Amino acid sequence: MFRAVLIFAIAVLATLIAVESGPVQSCCPAPPSGKPVVNADQTVILLWDAATKTEHFIRRASFKSEADDFGFLIPSPSKPELAESGNDAFPTLQKLTEPEVVQRPYPKGGSGGCACDAAKHAMPAASAPDHVSVLEQKVVAGFDASVLEATSATALTDWLRDHGYAYSPEIAVWAKPYVDAGWKVTALKVAKSADGKTDKQVTASALRLSFQTDRPLFPYREPDPTSAAQTLGANHRLLRIYFLSNERVRGEMTKEAPWTGRVAWAGRVSPEHRTKVLEQLRLPDANVPKDWWLTEFEDNWPYKAAPADVYFARDPDQREQKREPIAEYVAVPRPPDGSAFLMVGAIALTALAPRWRRWSRNLI
């Protein structure tokens, strides 16, 4: 009997401890006239091969617009190669750079293209009449694409007007530094689906532009988006850039207006991940570095005119950088309070009382 009562007391104590210490579950757009459009969130992969001065620009973007269809323009220092690119590389890189999840105890008492740079290398004005040359036209990744070379910003906006794109003075101001520097402009048209005409949010398919350039860049300049953003109620957008090269890089705009992007993650990429990403991007193993380093940037891209594009260069800091771990809080096992011990003591004393009385009588 005594043994059974003692076992019961121990079981009660164990149950109380388990109840108190158990784990807690852790809780530059070109719309039709009068139809505003702005760049919304963008995720971009930039793959840079310094040996061949080749940049692969893979863009997965979204827009906010009231237009049923609209176009957008991408400048590049040289004629780009256009190709469809798979979307699967984006979640792969996101998984690679996601923060580690670690378990932590609850806190005590807690509970459950650059205008300035382009101007420096501006080509002398041509004596021939202004015109636009169409270097290539093709349908790719669901876009109607035209690669253009213009002798003046006016000629470019005239071509855009004649082909259903925007031709506002703001577009001409935006285009002038690129045209003066002899850059090419890829004009792309994307249309909303028939059942999405009332949806202001439009997501485009991933598209790759590969081109030669002395310096890798992201074309950050756009016609002043302030008014269009206010009209559409757009207050916030995030630009995420996955930059793949053979070293860690930093982004630069101008000394007077530094780029607002910050490094969120930086580290080497394994050969296995390199092979996987190349397959997902549908890129051959050429004009890409053999050893990869990934630098991920996050930028709360303001809705205001930027003075320049973002160029990338070697970062003097070549250390790896990871995201802060995500804490999953759990309760810490702790001894039960005094009431539990009192309860067990009372049970034990009740079991021992008869034997104590017999032992006491034997002593008398």
Side-chain angles (χ1 to χ4, degrees):
M1 175 66 180
F2 169 73
R3 180 177 296 178
V5 173
L6 186 59
I7 292 173
F8 174 72
I10 294 173
V12 171
L13 178 60
T15 301
L16 290 171
I17 293 175
V19 168
E20 293 197 19
S21 62
V24 178
Q25 296 300 319
S26 58
C27 333
C28 179
S33 179
K35 295 290 187 178
V37 59
V38 292
N39 286 317
D41 292 347
Q42 290 196 47
T43 302
V44 177
I45 298 173
L46 301 182
L47 207 166
W48 166 246
D49 183 34
T52 60
K53 296 186 180 299
T54 302
E55 176 176 340
H56 303 284
F57 177 102
I58 299 96
R59 173 177 180 166
R60 186 181 67 177
S62 61
F63 306 88
K64 288 183 181 294
S65 176
E66 294 180 342
D68 291 340
D69 59 81
F70 56 89
F72 59 99
L73 313 172
I74 302 177
S76 57
S78 58
K79 180 179 179 294
E81 172 192 289
L82 307 179
E84 183 173 354
S85 184
N87 288 318
D88 293 341
F90 291 91
T92 296
L93 295 176
Q94 180 183 2
K95 181 70 175 177
L96 182 63
T97 67
E98 68 182 7
E100 179 186 5
V101 177
V102 296
Q103 288 193 341
R104 291 179 179 171
Y106 276 112
K108 188 175 181 180
S111 61
C114 181
C116 298
D117 195 72
K120 292 178 183 177
H121 303 87
M123 303 289 287
S127 57
D130 292 344
H131 70 281
V132 172
S133 298
V134 180
L135 304 181
E136 183 179 12
Q137 283 186 319
K138 64 187 300 186
V139 176
V140 55
F143 295 99
D144 291 321
S146 300
V147 180
L148 311 175
E149 183 178 51
T151 58
S152 74
T154 301
L156 177 63
T157 53
D158 287 346
W159 187 95
L160 294 173
R161 177 198 62 205
D162 294 341
H163 292 81
Y165 292 82
Y167 52 96
S168 65
E170 291 79 11
I171 294 289
V173 171
W174 168 85
K176 189 177 188 308
Y178 301 118
V179 172
D180 290 348
W183 285 34
K184 318 309 176 200
V185 175
T186 300
L188 299 160
K189 274 193 176 182
V190 60
K192 295 181 181 180
S193 61
D195 57 352
K197 296 293 185 179
T198 60
D199 191 357
K200 293 183 180 180
Q201 191 78 18
V202 180
T203 301
S205 302
L207 175 69
R208 173 172 61 85
L209 285 78
S210 301
F211 51 85
Q212 303 296 119
T213 178
D214 290 333
R215 301 165 60 198
L217 74 144
F218 175 79
Y220 199 75
R221 290 180 63 250
E222 58 186 343
D224 190 347
T226 306
S227 177
Q230 291 174 348
T231 300
L232 293 167
N235 300 313
H236 175 268
R237 57 179 171 174
L238 177 67
L239 171 63
R240 186 183 309 280
I241 297 177
Y242 294 110
F243 194 100
L244 293 161
S245 64
N246 62 342
E247 57 188 354
R248 175 172 170 167
V249 299
R250 64 180 180 184
E252 305 168 339
M253 202 153 67
T254 67
K255 291 182 179 180
E256 297 75 19
W259 185 37
T260 53
R262 66 175 187 86
V263 175
W265 193 96
R268 298 188 181 278
V269 178
S270 69
E272 294 77 17
H273 276 110
R274 177 185 180 275
T275 299
K276 182 177 182 179
V277 171
L278 281 178
E279 291 175 351
Q280 291 173 333
L281 292 177
R282 306 172 192 176
L283 261 174
D285 193 357
N287 292 335
V288 294
K290 298 300 179 185
D291 298 313
W292 280 13
W293 186 293
L294 170 60
T295 312
E296 180 185 354
F297 297 93
E298 290 181 343
D299 177 32
N300 291 317
W301 194 0
Y303 279 113
K304 63 180 183 180
D309 292 327
V310 176
Y311 283 85
F312 299 92
R314 185 181 191 275
D315 193 335
D317 183 359
Q318 288 294 302
R319 293 175 297 178
E320 292 194 348
Q321 177 176 326
K322 309 301 180 186
R323 283 185 165 85
E324 287 294 322
I326 295 177
E328 183 181 73
Y329 288 101
V330 296
V332 178
R334 60 181 182 270
D337 59 23
S339 62
F341 287 105
L342 288 174
M343 182 182 297
V344 173
I347 295 172
L349 287 175
T350 301
L352 290 171
R355 289 195 176 192
W356 173 258
R357 286 194 293 272
R358 289 196 298 272
W359 181 69
S360 298
R361 285 196 296 271
N362 291 335
L363 290 177
I364 296 175

